Amino acid sequence: MAGEPARAASRAGSTTGASSTSTVEDALAALPGPRSEESGFELVWQQVVAEIGRARSIDLICHICPDGDALGSSLAAALALRALGKQVRVSFGDDPQVVPESLTFLPGQELIVPAAEVPDVPELVLCFDVAAESRLGLLHDKAFAAPVLVVFDHHASNPGFGTHQLIDPTAPATAVLVDELLRRLGVELDQELATCLYTGVATDTGSFKYRATTPATHELAGRLLATGIRHDLISRQLWDTSSFGYLKVLAGALDRAVYEPDAAGGLGLVWTWVPYQDLALFSVTVEEIEGLIDVLRRPAEAEVALVLKQDPDGTLRGSSRSKGAVDVAAACAELGGGGHVFAAGFSVREDVAAVVERFRDALRPVR
């Protein structure tokens, strides 16, 4: 059965792979920056480095509808591994597979291949920023068919699938874990790698304004900026550039916005939805309106914001945000999704009213 090797190893707490050699240990000791002191986590790092060292062909995948952290992390790791002489492919399980317009500046996109070009049984799969198996899309079965499936992630809701899990909920972005991977592989930062990593960190910290941002986050950003990247141009592309059609879709979404003061235990919910017809009418992609949630979350009266975006097949993709008093990850998990306590999402095939009702009923205060 496809996926059985990876699933079985995950259940058994796989220790696949030998410990790092003394040469690797010596190199690690000389590297600057934070390290995990937890022996179990350190052992997984050593195993993953060893697996990468043995592999000839490596497939790097991220979640469907990739954001800056997912794609930036994948491309940074792929560029580094290519520099080490590995055969690499980057993919994500969408059909059609479309890189969001806001991320087309990322280097390394020549390494991206359609999901169909990923082998049915890959030698080694590295998975980035995927909080749940369902977010693998068309690559789910191929990922689980691999004898080694390594999961790099920072979502607290991640159930821990795969044979090796490098999941750190304290990290503000998966890109932080990729930075650690590059250190352990002995790959020095250059502008291409820094562009990918900066995009990942800036995206998932909301340009360094979210709660997960720490002094170490700014230290990482400083090292990335020191390579000479144009962070101003990256930020402009990520947040300050859109088509005129986006403004028309935004206007319709805001006109449909609903404020429910009694929701979330009286803390308030504001929500809206974007029908596929609006996207088609103004030639706007679902990926282009990802930033809509950051507009909807602004009202002071509402603790929680929810945006539902409709695909051509009727699927609703939900994006939610909390200002700190409500766990939206738990709410999204009840709809088959997941994410962070204050930022999470899901995908369902139901009508708008039913989805909003289920989401509203699932909202709980942070404990």
Side-chain angles (χ1 to χ4, degrees):
M1 175 184 288
E4 206 47 44
R7 290 182 188 277
S10 178
R11 288 193 297 268
S14 170
T15 56
T16 302
S19 298
S20 302
T21 64
S22 59
T23 302
V24 173
E25 289 295 339
D26 292 342
L28 290 179
L31 291 174
R35 289 290 176 277
S36 170
E37 298 300 327
E38 184 181 348
S39 60
F41 204 59
E42 177 60 32
L43 177 59
V44 178
W45 269 116
Q46 293 178 15
Q47 292 170 351
V48 169
V49 170
E51 292 288 0
I52 290 173
R54 284 191 286 268
R56 294 178 63 250
S57 176
I58 303 175
D59 286 276
L60 303 93
I61 64 177
C62 60
H63 62 69
I64 55 176
C65 304
D67 58 7
D69 192 24
L71 195 58
S73 294
S74 302
L75 290 174
L79 288 167
L81 292 172
R82 183 175 67 176
L84 294 176
K86 303 296 182 180
Q87 177 185 337
V88 296
R89 287 175 292 261
V90 176
S91 190
F92 50 96
D94 285 311
D95 184 20
Q97 187 187 72
V98 179
V99 173
E101 183 65 28
S102 63
L103 299 178
T104 54
F105 68 91
L106 286 174
Q109 293 191 48
E110 69 277 6
L111 300 174
I112 299 177
V113 302
E117 293 187 19
V118 174
D120 289 339
V121 184
E123 179 182 357
L124 169 61
V125 173
L126 305 182
C127 179
F128 299 91
D129 206 45
V130 180
E133 293 180 27
S134 60
R135 300 284 285 163
L136 290 168
L138 298 176
L139 287 171
H140 178 277
D141 290 349
K142 293 183 176 183
F144 278 96
V148 181
L149 170 58
V150 182
V151 177
F152 294 85
D153 193 24
H154 70 127
H155 294 93
S157 63
N158 193 306
F161 60 92
T163 62
H164 298 70
Q165 301 91 32
L166 288 167
I167 302 170
D168 183 2
T170 68
T174 297
V176 172
L177 293 164
V178 176
D179 174 63
E180 179 69 8
L181 175 64
L182 302 192
R183 290 166 178 260
R184 290 173 179 267
L185 293 175
V187 177
E188 294 187 4
L189 289 173
D190 59 19
Q191 288 191 7
E192 287 195 336
L193 293 173
T195 295
C196 292
L197 293 177
Y198 186 88
T199 298
V201 174
T203 298
D204 266 29
T205 60
S207 195
F208 306 95
K209 66 184 179 183
Y210 292 162
R211 185 176 180 179
T213 304
T214 66
T217 312
H218 286 289
E219 184 274 334
L220 170 57
R223 288 194 287 110
L224 299 176
L225 293 178
T227 66
I229 61 173
R230 289 289 303 275
H231 64 285
D232 57 329
L233 298 183
I234 293 174
S235 296
R236 183 185 307 167
Q237 185 70 21
L238 289 175
W239 293 289
D240 298 331
T241 302
S242 71
S243 65
F244 180 73
Y246 167 77
L247 298 182
K248 303 295 284 185
V249 172
L250 174 63
L254 294 180
D255 188 55
R256 282 187 292 273
V258 177
Y259 168 50
E260 300 186 9
D262 296 330
L267 296 174
L269 164 69
V270 59
W271 65 271
T272 191
W273 75 293
V274 180
Y276 176 71
Q277 289 83 348
D278 278 16
L279 300 177
L281 178 63
F282 298 108
S283 300
V284 173
T285 65
V286 170
E287 292 73 25
E288 192 175 350
I289 62 171
E290 284 300 310
L292 173 56
I293 186 65
D294 293 315
V295 178
L296 200 70
R297 68 197 295 264
R298 295 183 62 180
E301 296 90 341
E303 167 67 24
V304 179
L306 171 68
V307 174
L308 300 174
K309 298 151 287 187
Q310 188 180 51
D311 284 341
D313 66 357
T315 298
L316 292 174
R317 305 186 194 184
S319 295
S320 64
R321 298 290 186 272
S322 166
K323 294 176 181 175
V326 174
D327 183 353
V328 292
C332 289
E334 294 195 23
L335 283 93
H340 307 288
V341 174
F342 306 133
F346 59 85
S347 294
V348 292
R349 287 290 299 274
E350 297 180 38
D351 64 77
V352 172
V355 172
V356 173
E357 181 177 3
R358 289 181 61 197
F359 179 80
R360 183 194 305 114
D361 292 345
L363 293 175
R364 301 288 186 274
V366 173
R367 297 178 179 178

